[in-house]
């Protein structure tokens, strides 16, 4: 058996899985079954055919699809994609922190009925003045842990604004796995405030349930493709968290006008080579980490 397993490893290269991308309706689909949320009409192409073509061209085997703001809480388009390609995609739904608590029931339905396996917390969807640690936020975060579903945080306006909320939720609900999107939007530090944010990100490694997405590199780099200034950040993140808690993500389709989808993948490989990371560490970041989180998907 050992010999056979070794042979399989040689013939089956490690899978490459994108931990963060979006898909939304084409204009034709939006005019029919899958309308955009008013005011959130996309300016980029992000339909399923374009996504599948991009994955194939880049040699990417599968992905975690994050519900896009273009459809807000209407998950029907992404759900249709998950049902059509159950072995290629996993779904991350969008939490609805409505004050009436209706989002909790919606979350359960998306997970238990529609098969979503992660949920995104967008802090800017909470009512003005409310935090993700309010009663609704804690109920959603706790329910995610109870159902074995990771919570992804999008700290688009800066980790400093949300670090205390993330720390509180991780402390109070240690069984809920956390994914920090796009390095928590920490850019290579140029001042004390940015240095503090990045150091706080590294300190989150003390919570064993926290994972980092090395994703949307074009959003966090201060340099053009291939974003070489991120090598130091990746090195420190891997030192603090270990490669088995780090995963790459493209942020398709937003990455396409920046460097192309394939370029987004190649940038990670280039940065990893600069660090340098071992081949084993790179395998974790390029697919094994996200495959371990969502076991039963993307089976070799």
């Amino acid at each position: 058996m050992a010999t056979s397993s070794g042979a399989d490893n040689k013939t089956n290269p490690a899978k490459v899985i994108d931990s963060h991308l979006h898909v939304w309706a084409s204009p034709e689909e939006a005019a029919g079954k899958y309308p955009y949320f008013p005011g959130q009409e996309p300016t980029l192409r992000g339909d399923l055919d374009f996504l599948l073509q991009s994955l194939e061209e880049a040699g990417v085997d599968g992905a975690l699809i994050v519900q896009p703001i273009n459809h807000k809480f209407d998950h029907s388009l992404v759900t249709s994609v998950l049902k059509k390609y159950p072995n290629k995609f996993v779904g991350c739904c969008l939490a609805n922190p409505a004050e009436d608590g209706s989002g909790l029931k919606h979350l359960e339905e998306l997970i238990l009925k529609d098969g979503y396996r992660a949920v995104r917390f967008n802090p800017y969807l909470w009512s003005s003045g409310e935090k993700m640690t309010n009663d609704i936020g804690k109920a959603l975060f706790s329910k995610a842990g109870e159902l074995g579903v990771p919570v992804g945080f999008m700290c688009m306006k800066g980790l400093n604004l949300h670090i205390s909320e993330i720390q509180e939720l991780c402390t109070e609900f240690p069984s809920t796995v956390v994914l920090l999107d796009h390095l928590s939007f920490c850019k290579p530090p140029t001042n004390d405030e940015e240095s503090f944010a990045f150091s706080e990100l590294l300190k989150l490694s003390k919570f064993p349930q926290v994972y980092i997405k090395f994703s949307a590199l074009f959003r966090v780099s201060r340099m053009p493709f291939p974003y070489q200034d991120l090598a130091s950040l990746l090195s420190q993140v891997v030192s603090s968290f270990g490669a088995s808690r780090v995963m790459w993500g493209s942020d398709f389709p937003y990455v396409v006008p920046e460097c192309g989808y394939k370029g987004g993948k190649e940038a990670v490989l280039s940065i990893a080579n600069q660090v340098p990371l071992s081949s084993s560490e790179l395998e974790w970041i390029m697919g094994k980490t996200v495959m371990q989180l969502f076991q039963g998907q993307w089976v070799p």
Side-chain angles (χ1 to χ4, degrees):
M1 288 296 291
T3 307
S4 168
S5 173
D8 286 347
N9 287 338
K10 286 174 186 170
T11 55
N12 293 334
K15 284 188 180 291
V16 176
I17 308 295
D18 187 338
S19 75
H20 195 106
L21 54 70
H22 306 283
V23 64
W24 50 69
S26 66
E28 294 76 22
E29 290 171 323
K33 284 178 70 176
Y34 305 114
Y36 305 128
F37 189 80
Q40 295 288 355
E41 296 81 3
T43 56
L44 293 174
R45 184 183 176 190
D47 58 273
L48 176 60
D49 288 344
F50 185 38
L51 171 59
L52 292 171
Q53 173 192 330
S54 299
L55 293 176
E56 185 174 358
E57 288 175 357
V60 174
D61 300 293
L64 179 66
I65 298 178
V66 180
Q67 169 72 9
I69 199 66
N70 313 86
H71 293 288
K72 206 164 182 185
F73 302 123
D74 177 359
H75 288 70
S76 56
L77 181 278
V78 172
T79 301
S80 73
V81 173
L82 299 177
K83 286 182 176 169
K84 196 170 182 181
Y85 293 96
N87 298 320
K88 187 174 279 288
F89 298 120
V90 171
C92 174
C93 59
L94 181 62
N96 180 357
E99 292 179 14
D100 63 2
S102 58
L104 196 61
K105 184 170 183 290
H106 191 210
L107 177 64
E108 286 191 289
E109 286 177 358
L110 287 166
I111 294 166
L112 298 175
K113 177 173 154 284
D114 295 325
Y116 285 80
R117 296 188 64 183
V119 57
R120 177 177 237 194
F121 273 32
N122 178 343
Y124 317 111
L125 294 176
W126 265 253
S127 300
S128 180
E130 291 292 321
K131 294 192 170 184
M132 295 183 287
T133 46
N134 68 2
D135 288 347
I136 295 295
K138 287 188 173 180
L140 289 165
F141 194 83
S142 174
K143 178 59 69 175
E146 180 188 317
L147 295 173
V149 168
V151 172
F153 286 103
M154 184 187 72
C155 304
M156 185 173 272
K157 296 180 183 177
L159 180 60
N160 284 345
L161 293 176
H162 309 293
I163 185 67
S164 62
E165 296 162 80
I166 294 170
Q167 290 167 337
E168 183 177 335
L169 290 168
C170 287
T171 301
E172 194 168 332
F173 305 101
S175 64
T176 302
V177 171
V178 166
L179 313 176
L180 297 174
D181 297 346
H182 314 334
L183 281 175
S184 283
F185 290 84
C186 289
K187 294 190 173 190
T190 58
N191 57 45
D192 289 346
E193 184 181 359
E194 291 170 351
S195 295
F196 177 77
F198 187 62
S199 69
E200 289 299 299
L201 174 66
L202 296 179
K203 285 178 189 172
L204 288 172
S205 62
K206 72 180 182 183
F207 297 105
Q209 77 261 44
V210 175
Y211 291 71
I212 302 287
K213 287 187 182 181
F214 188 61
S215 53
L217 306 188
F218 61 92
R219 294 190 188 276
V220 290
S221 175
R222 300 184 188 280
M223 296 175 68
F225 174 85
Y227 318 121
Q228 295 294 298
D229 59 336
L230 298 180
S232 172
L233 273 62
L234 178 59
S235 176
Q236 293 176 74
V237 164
V238 170
S239 293
S240 295
F241 288 84
S244 61
R245 288 164 65 193
V246 182
M247 63 200 92
W248 86 284
S250 68
D251 204 18
F252 173 93
Y254 300 107
V255 69
V256 174
E258 301 292 336
C259 63
Y261 182 74
K262 189 176 182 182
K265 173 193 165 188
E266 289 171 348
V268 180
L269 303 177
S270 173
I271 293 164
N273 188 51
Q274 190 184 339
V275 171
L277 297 180
S278 69
S279 58
S280 171
E281 288 172 324
L282 190 57
E283 276 191 15
W284 278 105
I285 291 169
M286 297 306 292
K288 279 177 72 176
T289 299
V290 72
M291 288 175 73
Q292 180 176 266
L293 273 176
F294 302 103
Q295 292 188 8
Q297 291 290 146
W298 310 299
V299 176

